Amino acid sequence: MTFNQLIWKMAQGNKKKYIFYFLCNSFAVMFFFIFTTIYLNEALFGVEELEGLHDILLIPGAALLFFTVFFINYAHKIFIKRRKKEFSLLMTLGMSNRDLLKLILLENGCLAILALASGLTAGAIFSRLFFMLLMNSVGLKMISFHISFEMLVTTITAYLIVFVFTVAMTIYNLLSKSLTESLKSDRYVENLKYRSPVIGGLGIILLVGTAVLFYITAINQGQDSGTYFFIWTSGIIMGLYITLSQCMSFLVDVAKRYPSFYFPRVLFFSSIENKFRNLTSILVLVSIMSMVTIFFTSFTFFLIKYQEKELVDWYPNDISFVRTEWKNNISDEELNRILTNPNNPLITHEELRAFLYIVKDQNYPELDYEFMPLSDFNRISNEQIELADEEYLYFINMDSEYAYVQEYLNNGIQLMGNAKVLEYSIDDIYSKRILNEGGDYLILTDKEFERIKNEVTGLEYSIQILNVQGWKDSAQIVEELKSRLSTLNSENLREIPQSLVDANYWYEVNSRIQAYNNTIFTNGIIFFVTIFICVLFFFGTFILLYLNVISNTEEEKRRFQKLYKIGITRKEFRLLLSRELGMIFFFAPIIGSCLAFVYILTFGKDGGGLLENISLLYSYLSMSGLYLIIQVYAYLYARKKLFEQVM
């Protein structure tokens, strides 16, 4: 039999092992490639509304890379573990280390090529589907999908680096062990090294303590917030590792103090303690991945809903724009024509008079006063305020919690008129978000407003406020209005006096729908990418746990045979397996869910606490509940397969 024939025979005899290992690698390549089609899409990050998204995607990108490294490494470890006995048998028949090295490199090289080909092909298909869903959901249909050479090279390079490192470590470990140890690898069970209930108890204290300290100190620490966040997150991960490695030793010692509880479950406690010790790394990763999944989905979902509510408060008017003699000088008749829409009729149209005076002072080049008549202010604010002619109301167009008082507007003002200095003293401060346009206004009596217009050189303008029946359906109206104003401004050849405002942003149309779309563009993509990463993490945790289950079926068969001989029934053994598998499948996700709640509490505290953001709590409960429900189905599937193979 030639060397190539031997490889083919081994592949046929171990086709299930090869297929599963091949699918794991293809799975990793496909998901990483889908992410690169978004992360490296230059057209996507050229959109103004998505500015800064590239930096935001660095975190899920790093998480995906970390997962890929661990996932491929663990899948390869399981694949080799189930074939060590075959390799050792070949060595007893005369195969040299060189031939064994050649065999491993050849079969892994073929598998890597096939995994890359299938993963990139599936990734190209599903990435286009994912990209179309993503762009349609956020309304960015103008961005085209494409696959670049850089995306392919990045995916292939990242996969090959991880794969080559994993195979190299496997070869080193395989060739460094004795032949006897390799032959008995399928019967080898790791011993409980460093068993310490005391360390397990300290690990629980460390985990809980760092979580509490994180909640107390991580937020509202100014520039030190990032430092506290890093320190306590590191402490949480360290405490999590110690807890999962030794907590069962601690719990077993506690259970031993209650003989009536412990002895009926002695087989379960002894087995689960050993499994937790051997699965520490996997359980830590599952805990972190479930924590990230629940936290990011909960917080992102809440953020989208919260920002929509905040946006309505921030843009109290559906549409508004500034109209002057030089810019946006559209007639009322033409404006009404644009706004005439039977499906979305105009509800109100308000016009507020205003006057801008820019202080001609070299020491204060950006100092200006914006005036508004009292009658217009009372009409838009639904107030009945009265003022004396020599007084003004300082109107801050911002809710009181965000308001900032400008000292030069709070101490009285003086203006140089045509004949004399005009002086006004402050009567009161009024702070509330009423207009889309930001800024501070000085409210004068109608008489004094007209006087200032006549005696002071400045810019007379009006604020047009338009409210329609359904603001979410006003995008077409806004675009038509913007197009018409742009045409009028280009046709108006008169130059704006240099003393007046000529900045284009000052004359832009401010609409709630445009701000909403900008928010949806960014948050929608973040939400979809978050869901993508979280779905990947969930399937990753399931496959990692499932890999462990199917890799130990031979050991479970031998354990069942031994226990059956001493009187354990099939029903009792099924119950034992169910309990052990349940602990493995649910212990880490429940801890991850609790840690996610700590982060939800901490970040919610910055916004007034969960009681002030009750929807954040609802989002967390919904996402964690959904995660655990899906985990129940995953557990039932894995248990069914385990029963089929063991019993």
Side-chain angles (χ1 to χ4, degrees), residues 207 240 243-244 287 290-291 586-596:
L207 179 60
L240 181 64
T243 299
L244 290 175
S287 299
S290 59
M291 177 188 73
F586 292 105
F587 192 85
I590 289 175
I591 288 183
S593 178
C594 294
L595 292 177

Side-chain angles (χ1 to χ4, degrees), residues 352-356 369-376 388-389 391 415 422 424 441-456 459-462:
L352 302 180
R353 295 169 293 166
F355 185 80
L356 172 68
Y369 301 121
E370 291 188 73
F371 299 97
M372 184 180 294
L374 181 61
S375 60
D376 288 20
D389 288 342
E391 295 176 337
L415 305 177
L422 306 178
Y424 300 94
Y441 294 85
L442 304 180
I443 311 302
L444 300 173
T445 62
D446 289 34
K447 173 185 174 183
E448 290 301 312
F449 179 78
E450 294 297 328
R451 181 183 179 187
I452 284 182
K453 283 171 48 181
N454 295 327
E455 296 195 17
V456 176
L459 174 65
E460 183 179 358
Y461 67 94
S462 65

Side-chain angles (χ1 to χ4, degrees), residues 85 102 116 136 210 376 410 451 473 512 561 604 641:
K85 190 174 180 179
K102 181 180 177 182
L116 279 172
N136 288 332
T210 49
D376 288 20
N410 193 35
R451 181 183 179 187
D473 299 322
R512 187 183 292 173
Q561 292 168 0
K641 291 297 181 182

Side-chain angles (χ1 to χ4, degrees), residues 189-241:
V189 179
E190 294 184 34
N191 295 321
L192 283 173
K193 300 178 182 178
Y194 312 115
R195 182 184 184 279
S196 175
V198 175
I199 294 179
L202 292 175
I204 295 174
I205 294 173
L206 176 63
L207 179 60
V208 175
T210 49
V212 172
L213 289 172
F214 173 73
Y215 172 75
I216 295 174
T217 63
I219 301 296
N220 297 329
Q221 296 295 330
Q223 295 180 350
D224 295 330
S225 294
T227 304
Y228 280 102
F229 184 87
F230 176 78
I231 291 174
W232 298 129
T233 299
S234 301
I236 287 173
I237 295 175
M238 185 183 302
L240 181 64
Y241 184 87

Side-chain angles (χ1 to χ4, degrees), residues 17 237 320 322 402 535 575 635:
K17 300 175 186 177
I237 295 175
S320 68
V322 169
Y402 305 113
V535 168
L575 181 61
Y635 158 74

